[in-house]
Amino acid sequence: MSAAAAAGASPAPGAAPAYLLPLLREINDLKRVRSAGRPASIADRLFASAWSRLVAGEDVARVAMATTAGALAANRLGDLDPPLLRQAGIGAEEVSVIRQRALAAVAEGLDGGLRAKLSAALDAPAREGRPPVFVQRLAEQPRAGATCPDRPRIVLEPPESHAEHCLMVAVYGVMLAPVYGADAPTVFLASLAHHLHNALLPDSGFTGEMLLGQALEPAFAEATRQALAELGGPLLAAVEDARRILPDAETPEGRAFHAADTLDRVLQIEQYLRGASTSMDFVLGDMALVHEGPVKRFQDAVLAEMGLLP
């Protein structure tokens, strides 16, 4: 991490925030963290929660900070969220302390002003409404994987959902907003809503989009219109306004969004490749799969006898 990053200073607008890459990688795994009795991944559920709060009339800035703070805390706590911790007999104040500790453990390199907002929003009271229908459809709609015209599709399992992608871009966007001098709530809302067309249209990737030709833009526009019709009043206006940043990277908000979108797309593929190339030496050595404890000597002996030690 650079000295400026360690001090909480923001790089110049337009700088590549390489010091954030390890944290971005780690948060990306929220697409793949699940627990008993809960549907889908943490990322899927954060996406639904964000829309639920927006529909209930919560301020976009408040939802953006609370959602991002929740994602960062879950980065270390996984699905040990307030309801489960309280059910396990931990008092509300101690739960808050635990979550603030988890947030602080991963947020050190973020902009100082952003860290303060995230800390304040982490356990703030929330209002919840009924999410639009498109939220569930995006959670059920898989991403296309890697496609390129005139080449066979590369199918990567398990696929991420469009809800997971949109949530991750929204969280990345909030984290990157200070880097580009962008308005974080605008980037967050645009990111949550940038794949509304896929609530109707399955994702055929770059290949399918090229084959649609002149029909592409009208089809996407109509599918988006149908999703937006589920919203009303101030939220509809706010979503339409935020989505104006999507077409280009000429504004600070556009740059923050496109940086977040690109990074999530590439890091999603990277995790497939990383998993496929992980060695037993790394898992047993660096990751201490069989870690220190009272029976480690026996465990190592078992592995040695079976020929499984590096």
Side-chain angles (χ1 to χ4, degrees):
M1 182 186 301
S2 69
S10 301
Y19 63 91
L20 287 178
L21 186 57
L23 179 55
L24 297 175
R25 279 196 180 106
E26 192 175 350
I27 295 175
N28 205 269
D29 279 337
L30 295 184
K31 299 176 186 177
R32 293 165 283 278
V33 178
R34 293 168 167 78
S35 62
R38 293 179 163 185
S41 67
I42 290 178
D44 260 329
R45 285 180 274 119
L46 284 172
F47 179 76
S49 175
W51 278 110
S52 172
R53 296 174 70 163
L54 290 169
V55 166
E58 275 203 56
D59 179 69
V60 174
R62 180 184 176 97
V63 176
M65 293 303 149
T67 303
T68 304
L72 286 163
N75 216 27
R76 294 300 169 83
L77 287 172
D79 244 346
L80 293 175
D81 61 6
L84 283 181
L85 291 173
R86 287 196 295 268
Q87 188 177 348
I90 302 175
E93 288 188 10
E94 189 175 357
V95 167
S96 182
V97 169
I98 291 168
R99 282 167 56 77
Q100 289 288 347
R101 193 159 59 230
L103 173 61
V106 296
E108 181 183 355
L110 296 178
D111 172 81
L114 176 59
R115 288 202 309 272
K117 292 178 181 178
L118 293 171
S119 179
L122 180 59
D123 288 316
R127 296 164 59 187
E128 293 190 356
R130 184 173 182 176
V133 174
F134 65 69
V135 170
Q136 184 59 37
R137 289 188 63 86
L138 289 171
E140 295 171 353
Q141 194 77 280
R143 300 269 287 160
T147 73
C148 183
D150 302 320
R151 294 179 182 272
R153 179 190 303 254
I154 300 176
V155 179
L156 298 165
E157 295 286 348
E160 63 177 326
S161 74
H162 276 82
E164 290 169 327
H165 169 65
C166 290
L167 181 282
M168 200 56 56
V169 175
V171 169
Y172 281 8
V174 171
M175 295 168 60
L176 294 172
V179 174
Y180 296 98
D183 180 68
T186 298
V187 179
F188 177 83
L189 189 55
S191 300
L192 281 186
H194 80 286
H195 272 284
L196 290 181
H197 58 278
N198 288 117
L200 172 67
L201 300 173
D203 188 359
S204 59
F206 183 34
T207 299
E209 292 177 4
M210 292 299 98
L211 290 172
L212 283 173
Q214 293 184 350
L216 174 68
E217 290 191 14
F220 276 26
E222 173 57 21
T224 300
R225 185 198 66 77
Q226 291 181 28
L228 288 171
E230 299 178 36
L231 304 176
L235 180 56
L236 172 59
V239 170
E240 290 179 324
D241 187 55
R243 280 176 51 88
R244 292 191 177 98
I245 74 169
L246 299 178
D248 57 58
E250 298 302 315
T251 64
E253 289 72 30
R255 287 190 284 277
F257 164 75
H258 284 288
D261 182 51
T262 302
L263 286 165
D264 180 61
R265 286 159 56 195
V266 172
L267 291 178
Q268 173 67 21
I269 300 299
E270 182 191 66
Q271 74 86 23
Y272 290 117
L273 303 178
R274 190 171 69 242
S277 62
T278 297
S279 69
M280 188 62 74
D281 286 3
F282 178 77
V283 173
L284 287 174
D286 293 48
M287 295 298 292
L289 178 64
V290 179
H291 50 77
E292 291 298 331
V295 297
K296 186 175 188 303
R297 184 176 178 183
F298 173 75
Q299 292 170 323
D300 286 342
V302 170
L303 294 175
E305 286 294 324
M306 300 297 289
L308 291 173
L309 278 182

